[in-house]
Amino acid sequence: MAAGLTGIWAVRILLLRDRVIAIWALVVSVVFGCWFAFQHDQRQQRTLPEMTNTTVQLRVQPDDVLVGPDSVQVKGRLPTGQLVTGQYYVGEGEKPEPQWRVMKTSVMTVAGDIQQFAPATNVNEFDYGEYQRQNGVFNRVKISRLVAVRPAVPRTLWQSWLNGCHAIRQRLILQTKRLPPLLAMYVQGLFLGFRADNFYDNLSAVTDLGLIHLFSISGFHVVWLTALVAFVLKRLRCSETMVNVILILVLPSYYILAGAAPSLLRAILVSMLVIIAALAGWKISPLTLWGLSLMLALIWYPALLMQLGGQLSYALAFALIFVEGRSAFAKTMLLNLVSLPFVLYHVYQWHIWSLLANLLILPVFSWLIFPVTLIGAVVGLKFPMLAQMCDHLLGWFTRALDAIAAMPGMITFGKPHILLVIALVVLTLLLLAGRHQRQVIIGLTAVYTLAFMLIHFPVKGEVTFFDIGQGDSFMIREPLGRQITMIDTGGDVFFGGHQVKRRSRALRLNINYMKSMGIHRIDALCLSHQDADHVGFVGDVLQTMDVKRLYIPWGMAANPQFMRRIRPGLKHTKLISVHAGQHITGSGLDVLHPFTPGLGGNEDSMVLTGVYGGLRFTFTGDLGQEGEKDVIAHYPNLRTDVLKLGHHGSKTASAPEFIQALKPKWGIISAGRNNRYGHPNPETLATLAQQHVPFFNTQTNGMIRYRFRDHHPGYWETVMKEEKD
């Protein structure tokens, strides 16, 4: 995306046909090219090798230590200068030691393992490691214990100022936690750039309606701050020059206090450039301000345009220059069009009510919600009744957003190809310029339509094995999207102790991938049996996807624990029990097992088989060796090309007789890395070797895809290895 934006800029420079501008552009390009190359080299040098059982010292800021009920997340700097993150989890029934709760910049000595970030192993999965590297963090520490904590002594005036800002921010975050819950969430999000763990759970409508920019501290907040400070200072009879000098000192401090977000960096830089120009008597056009702020931001934060926040911040700021003087409706429409290509590329979906929400809610937010939150933040602790009133008002506002977001209109568009995104950005810029409006609108409509059709009606189908960890989850998508079948959902296995609260892996992995492919409906969801590592995320799938039919093995409907898990999501989904000899409607899958009813144990696993792209696939759930022998006894002529090995490669499955009878050309193992069971077991691997069956393994290959066209043989793709034919 960043390369595409750079290409658009280069084309624009060439079209200007101005030699002076071209020379300056070339100079700037060379300078920034060298700067980015230097940063890339620094990334390689600052990445540490993995080490176990080591002790390190971390210089940490107090607001970079997040202490939870059963864990601690920390970010700090090693004595050599590298930034690292650290994670510490306490034992069952324990709480983090009080020493973790620091109020000033400290040096923590911790014992643990230095690790590198794991790569994303599914297509379109958010790459957390790359995100951290873009932010200058190259390693993480798996902390086993806290050895010592001591105050950090600042060595320079710069360090003293920086430490003071972080200490104030930490105190403010802790103070706001004493406010009523919703008010605290709004205060922290709007003024401190801090989002609690449950932020997106309680304010899901904000993201669904594309209103997250209201909680991203940016130009809107800086304008408020500068106007408020200037108003107070002028009432104190300060001169205009004094006001500007004080603002130049205040704005960098607010950048730290508000969390130092990329979107805030742009706003702070623009405000400071305006003030400096006023003090120097210079006249700077809005476009020049935008360009200068971008160059300064890229020096400070080279990966700015690699992230959605930075892309939206500068794209919308650029658009605001050209929509000045237009009606509120025209402004909202154009700004939504500017942001839409970026949103679709990163988020894959868009709510049709987001346009109306932005048009109606922004004034309410500006003139009511923002002041109410500010009042609640300033006086809420002194006047609890007033804080409760503010909390109730914010509650009404949030429920109104929830009601709008619940209305039909969420479009799962999918992830458009980068070349189409660039075309959309170019056409939208032409629309802003006001030239050839009719032709541009036709072009935009045509490109959006083309992108939608390519995503939703793909020529190729696929059989996808998600890397869901220690569990199973697969998807079959037929060419042109005729039928979508999902087999198992994956799930977390809990063995006691503390559970770490985090976003569901289904929402980050398999559901995320399906949305990136434009998939919002599942024609058939087949659950092999009731184990949590196969069906634990069924609630997420039923809640976020339009599931037509849910298939379960014969007798599992009598399992009350399982039924309690799925019943809340069975609003428009037909529940169907199946046994051997039946078919999964419309999918081409035949049911080979179970033969008798059961409650959904491993021995009751649903076994499915079907032909896709010239290969026969067989999915066996967690069926054990005795069940496998029953299958070949009932179907002595059964053969398969691709066998999903039972029970994640456990020795309790994959009987040698079963493998010999089916004669698979490929085996698929779906298992978690470093799982406690030792899957796949050596016995299973030995059986595959003896039978000369090559295999893919999600542990080493990540997501595995077999892609094919109608009536044509397909090919294999893996995320973590080269393609295999």
Side-chain angles (χ1 to χ4, degrees), residues 275-511:
I275 294 170
I276 292 171
L279 289 172
W282 300 333
K283 289 185 178 181
I284 302 180
S285 69
L287 193 56
T288 302
L289 277 174
W290 181 88
L292 288 174
S293 70
L294 177 58
M295 288 191 291
L296 292 172
L298 288 173
I299 293 173
W300 180 263
Y301 189 38
L304 177 70
L305 296 182
M306 301 295 291
Q307 299 175 6
L308 176 61
Q311 292 168 8
L312 283 180
S313 176
Y314 274 91
L316 292 173
F318 183 82
L320 281 170
I321 298 172
F322 295 91
V323 299
E324 202 60 45
R326 306 196 188 191
S327 67
F329 178 80
K331 280 185 180 180
T332 305
M333 176 68 77
L334 288 170
L335 291 177
N336 271 268
L337 279 175
V338 168
S339 65
L340 188 55
F342 302 97
V343 170
L344 294 180
Y345 187 77
H346 290 278
V347 183
Y348 322 134
Q349 58 186 14
W350 179 74
H351 206 298
I352 61 173
W353 293 105
S354 63
L355 177 62
L356 181 63
N358 276 277
L359 186 62
L360 298 180
I361 301 241
L362 186 57
V364 175
F365 199 90
S366 303
W367 300 107
L368 179 62
I369 301 305
F370 197 89
V372 165
T373 306
L374 181 61
I375 292 170
V378 174
V379 301
L381 293 178
K382 292 290 184 181
F383 302 96
M385 186 173 294
L386 181 60
Q388 287 294 340
M389 292 174 60
C390 293
D391 192 76
H392 286 310
L393 182 60
L394 295 176
W396 293 336
F397 176 74
T398 304
R399 286 190 291 274
L401 292 182
D402 290 337
I404 297 173
M407 297 171 65
M410 179 62 79
I411 298 174
T412 302
F413 191 96
K415 183 177 182 177
H417 192 278
I418 184 62
L419 294 179
L420 294 179
V421 173
I422 293 172
L424 291 170
V425 172
V426 171
L427 289 170
T428 306
L429 292 177
L430 291 175
L431 191 65
L432 285 176
R435 297 178 182 177
H436 311 292
Q437 297 272 306
R438 183 178 177 184
Q439 293 89 333
V440 170
I441 292 173
I442 293 173
L444 275 172
T445 304
V447 176
Y448 274 114
T449 302
L450 175 62
F452 186 87
M453 297 294 287
L454 290 175
I455 294 170
H456 288 257
F457 302 98
V459 175
K460 295 178 182 178
E462 61 182 276
V463 182
T464 300
F465 301 82
F466 296 107
D467 181 11
I468 198 71
Q470 182 62 20
D472 277 6
S473 184
F474 320 119
M475 182 197 74
I476 302 169
R477 185 187 198 185
E478 297 189 18
L480 302 180
R482 291 189 300 263
Q483 173 85 9
I484 309 294
T485 304
M486 188 176 191
I487 302 173
D488 287 339
T489 66
D492 289 321
V493 184
F494 180 51
F495 299 106
H498 292 291
Q499 283 183 293
V500 181
K501 181 177 176 58
R502 54 187 176 185
R503 193 166 175 243
S504 160
R505 279 188 293 125
L507 297 175
R508 294 185 285 113
L509 302 179
N510 47 6
I511 293 175

Side-chain angles (χ1 to χ4, degrees), residues 167 567-568 626 689:
R567 189 169 288 115
E626 291 304 315

Side-chain angles (χ1 to χ4, degrees), residues 658-712:
F658 185 65
I659 303 296
Q660 186 176 17
L662 267 59
K663 295 180 171 54
K665 297 177 182 177
W666 296 97
I668 304 289
I669 298 172
S670 179
R673 294 169 187 81
N674 305 313
N675 65 82
R676 62 180 294 169
Y677 308 103
H679 294 159
N681 291 133
E683 294 89 337
T684 300
L685 298 180
T687 298
L688 294 176
Q690 291 166 5
Q691 303 285 348
H692 305 289
V693 179
F695 63 90
F696 292 105
N697 185 349
T698 58
Q699 293 173 327
T700 54
N701 298 121
M703 177 194 282
I704 303 157
R705 293 193 295 185
Y706 179 73
R707 307 190 72 185
F708 60 94
R709 294 173 182 261
D710 274 329
H711 313 300
H712 287 82

Side-chain angles (χ1 to χ4, degrees), residues 32 35-36 39 43 75 83 130-137 255 259-266 269 293-311 313-314:
F32 276 93
W35 174 244
F36 294 149
Q39 290 296 318
R43 171 187 290 197
K75 182 171 74 174
L83 271 174
E130 180 59 25
Y131 171 78
Q132 289 286 11
R133 287 186 286 271
Q134 289 171 1
N135 287 281
V137 182
Y255 176 67
S263 57
L264 179 59
L265 178 60
R266 181 198 61 79
L269 287 173
S293 70
L294 177 58
M295 288 191 291
L296 292 172
L298 288 173
I299 293 173
W300 180 263
Y301 189 38
L304 177 70
L305 296 182
M306 301 295 291
Q307 299 175 6
L308 176 61
Q311 292 168 8
S313 176
Y314 274 91

Side-chain angles (χ1 to χ4, degrees), residues 44-351:
Q44 304 299 322
Q45 295 175 14
R46 292 180 181 178
T47 301
L48 301 173
E50 296 195 344
M51 292 181 282
T52 59
N53 298 321
T54 187
T55 301
V56 297
Q57 287 187 345
L58 300 178
R59 182 186 180 94
V60 300
Q61 297 294 351
D63 53 331
D64 285 332
V65 182
L66 305 179
V67 182
D70 51 17
S71 64
V72 178
Q73 306 293 318
V74 61
K75 182 171 74 174
R77 195 175 293 276
L78 297 171
T80 50
Q82 290 99 330
L83 271 174
V84 298
T85 62
Q87 301 82 34
Y88 171 72
Y89 302 107
V90 301
E92 183 177 0
E94 299 177 359
K95 294 182 178 180
E97 298 93 327
Q99 292 89 339
W100 284 108
R101 302 179 186 276
V102 295
M103 297 301 295
K104 294 182 179 180
T105 307
S106 304
V107 175
M108 290 183 173
T109 305
V110 298
D113 303 333
I114 295 179
Q115 302 173 336
Q116 295 182 5
F117 291 103
T121 59
N122 292 271
V123 175
N124 292 330
E125 176 186 349
F126 174 69
D127 194 333
Y128 178 73
E130 180 59 25
Y131 171 78
Q132 289 286 11
R133 287 186 286 271
Q134 289 171 1
N135 287 281
V137 182
F138 303 100
N139 290 87
R140 63 181 179 181
V141 182
K142 185 179 179 181
I143 300 172
S144 58
R145 62 189 176 93
L146 177 62
V147 178
V149 181
R150 61 178 173 84
V153 179
R155 298 179 180 178
T156 63
L157 184 61
W158 164 265
Q159 285 186 349
S160 296
W161 167 77
L162 194 65
N163 295 350
C165 289
H166 282 286
I168 294 172
R169 182 170 186 261
Q170 173 69 351
R171 284 195 290 270
L172 290 174
I173 290 172
L174 293 177
Q175 287 291 324
T176 55
K177 289 182 178 179
R178 296 166 50 197
L179 294 168
L182 194 57
L183 176 60
M185 196 174 301
Y186 272 75
V187 171
Q188 292 168 353
L190 287 176
F191 299 114
L192 300 175
F194 177 83
R195 291 174 186 167
D197 290 338
N198 60 348
F199 178 89
Y200 290 104
D201 294 332
N202 293 332
L203 297 175
S204 59
V206 171
T207 54
D208 290 344
L209 294 173
L211 298 172
I212 193 65
H213 61 88
L214 297 178
F215 287 84
S216 299
I217 302 177
S218 58
F220 172 74
H221 304 77
V222 173
V223 168
W224 260 84
L225 174 69
T226 53
L228 181 62
V229 172
F231 176 81
V232 172
L233 292 176
K234 288 177 180 178
R235 289 297 178 272
L236 296 175
R237 301 186 180 279
C238 292
S239 66
E240 189 74 26
T241 301
M242 181 62 69
V243 170
N244 287 333
V245 170
I246 292 174
L247 283 174
I248 288 178
L249 297 175
V250 168
L251 286 171
S253 299
Y254 181 67
Y255 176 67
I256 304 298
L257 293 174
S263 57
L264 179 59
L265 178 60
R266 181 198 61 79
I268 293 291
L269 287 173
V270 168
S271 296
M272 293 185 68
L273 286 170
V274 169
I275 294 170
I276 292 171
L279 289 172
W282 300 333
K283 289 185 178 181
I284 302 180
S285 69
L287 193 56
T288 302
L289 277 174
W290 181 88
L292 288 174
S293 70
L294 177 58
M295 288 191 291
L296 292 172
L298 288 173
I299 293 173
W300 180 263
Y301 189 38
L304 177 70
L305 296 182
M306 301 295 291
Q307 299 175 6
L308 176 61
Q311 292 168 8
L312 283 180
S313 176
Y314 274 91
L316 292 173
F318 183 82
L320 281 170
I321 298 172
F322 295 91
V323 299
E324 202 60 45
R326 306 196 188 191
S327 67
F329 178 80
K331 280 185 180 180
T332 305
M333 176 68 77
L334 288 170
L335 291 177
N336 271 268
L337 279 175
V338 168
S339 65
L340 188 55
F342 302 97
V343 170
L344 294 180
Y345 187 77
H346 290 278
V347 183
Y348 322 134
Q349 58 186 14
W350 179 74
H351 206 298

